[in-house]
Amino acid sequence: MTDEDMNAAVDRSQHGHLVIVGGHEDRENSKEILSRFVELSGGGKATIAVITAASKVPDEMWKRYNAVFTELGARQVIRIDLPDRAAANDPALAGRVRNADGIFMTGGDQKRLLAMIGGTLMDEAMHGALKQRGACIGGTSAGASAMCGHMLADGKADLLPEKGSVSLGAGLGFVQRVVIDQHFSERHRLARLLTIVAQNPYLLGVGIDEDTALVVERGVGIEVIGAGSVTVVDGRAMISNVADIPSGGTPQLIDVRLHLLPAGSSFALPEEVGHPNQLRPDTTRRTPDPLTDFVRNVTKRNPVS
């Protein structure tokens, strides 16, 4: 390996990655998504920390992911047991997370997850691992929604957008100005995502299908892997009467953009085309203008992340 190759490898490792999973990822057959998470964490050299705080059955979640990450060849898999916020402020436990190569948040309830770790030493350690060491942060279902600065916290809209039916809360902030919903196509959540965008048009709505992941290389680009698609809803140019209708009403939404990114889609930021990154070279495409802001927001390497 030349000095130039070594420098490129170091540069890649310092970017850090996010693997944002829509839930119900395959853990028995090809394990494509979890295999990619292990690969981006360092493969056979990786130490992976599993955070089960979102779940009410943490023992079951730990057994499930310990088995699959061990099978996929991780060097070490460690359990981060957080029964309460006091544990999330334990310096020794936070240190184990900061030094991990991969950190994976299981499913459950994202409000429960944030109540346990939001603003704690554990939260700080995760950001430090990503920003300072280039670790890979993964999350499925609730763990995916928690990745955002603005987290989808509660509520639903069945067939049509419904003003006031969905609420947001503070998330972990690995991505900014984006809100993520999961189990998207399977649970027919387009109306819910439109409700969020109608009330918060500065946010880009992202819906991730089951057994599907949005893979982010910070500062470089994105890739969609798995069995389904990622849906992006952009309402920044939208014309709406949402401010004038009563709670429970269906807003008028004109000029909302919707992008569908099926598995295999891969886009780099314009300035990063040709960069020796970890996006798959056979599928990397220059980002179309309507998607540029989404890719830039989701890959942004800002001080808080």
Side-chain angles (χ1 to χ4, degrees):
M1 180 180 287
T2 66
D3 289 344
E4 183 178 349
D5 290 336
M6 290 179 68
N7 289 337
V10 169
D11 186 53
R12 280 198 306 273
S13 70
Q14 291 176 346
H15 285 154
H17 293 79
L18 305 174
V19 178
I20 310 172
V21 190
H24 287 181
E25 69 282 357
D26 173 32
R27 295 185 293 269
E28 298 179 357
N29 299 305
S30 70
K31 307 178 186 70
E32 178 185 2
I33 292 169
L34 296 179
S35 294
R36 188 70 186 282
F37 172 76
V38 172
E39 173 193 340
L40 293 173
S41 298
K45 298 180 180 179
T47 294
I48 292 176
V50 178
I51 297 176
T52 59
S55 178
K56 292 183 179 180
V57 287
D59 292 343
E60 179 182 329
M61 287 292 183
W62 161 245
K63 290 177 183 177
R64 179 181 301 171
Y65 287 99
N66 179 40
V68 73
F69 289 141
T70 299
E71 180 183 346
L72 289 171
R75 180 177 65 87
Q76 184 180 21
V77 187
I78 58 177
R79 180 177 185 176
I80 305 300
D81 188 22
L82 300 174
D84 50 37
R85 281 183 66 84
N89 276 311
D90 180 347
L93 202 56
R96 299 185 77 188
V97 168
R98 182 179 290 273
N99 291 323
D101 305 299
I103 303 162
F104 192 85
M105 296 176 286
T106 70
D109 182 343
Q110 56 263 39
K111 298 189 299 298
R112 178 184 177 88
L113 177 62
L114 264 294
M116 290 288 190
I117 70 174
T120 66
L121 290 179
M122 187 65 61
D123 183 351
E124 181 182 321
M126 294 174 68
H127 283 274
L130 177 69
K131 179 183 175 183
Q132 298 164 12
R133 299 183 50 256
C136 182
I137 308 291
T140 185
S141 190
S145 287
M147 293 261 196
C148 306
H150 294 81
M151 181 183 74
L152 198 161
D154 206 358
K156 67 177 183 177
D158 292 322
L159 298 178
L160 294 169
E162 181 182 332
K163 180 178 177 178
S165 64
V166 183
S167 62
L168 299 179
L172 294 172
F174 295 112
V175 293
Q176 299 292 332
R177 298 194 69 175
V178 170
V179 62
I180 292 172
D181 206 351
Q182 9 80 7
H183 304 281
F184 189 69
S185 293
E186 292 77 9
R187 299 186 185 178
H188 309 289
R189 286 179 164 172
L190 179 58
R192 180 158 92 161
L193 200 59
L194 284 168
T195 298
I196 295 167
V197 170
Q199 296 174 171
N200 306 275
Y202 60 94
L203 295 177
L204 291 163
V206 179
I208 306 178
D209 294 348
E210 293 179 357
D211 194 25
T212 305
L214 177 64
V215 179
V216 176
E217 184 170 7
R218 297 171 69 242
V220 177
I222 64 168
E223 182 179 0
V224 180
I225 63 173
S229 298
V230 170
T231 301
V232 181
V233 176
D234 182 350
R236 289 171 303 160
M238 171 183 67
I239 299 171
S240 173
N241 64 346
V242 68
D244 302 319
I245 65 173
S247 181
T250 298
Q252 182 183 80
L253 305 176
I254 298 172
D255 199 12
V256 178
R257 282 183 166 178
L258 186 146
H259 312 297
L260 186 69
L261 309 179
S265 300
S266 186
F267 298 101
L269 290 171
E271 60 268 28
E272 295 295 342
V273 171
H275 186 284
N277 56 57
Q278 298 213 22
L279 298 176
R280 298 304 191 222
D282 57 334
T283 56
T284 301
R285 301 284 188 270
R286 184 180 295 274
T287 306
D289 285 343
L291 267 178
T292 298
D293 282 346
F294 165 65
V295 177
R296 199 177 301 282
N297 283 343
V298 82
T299 62
K300 189 173 181 181
R301 300 173 68 187
N302 54 45
V304 298
S305 62

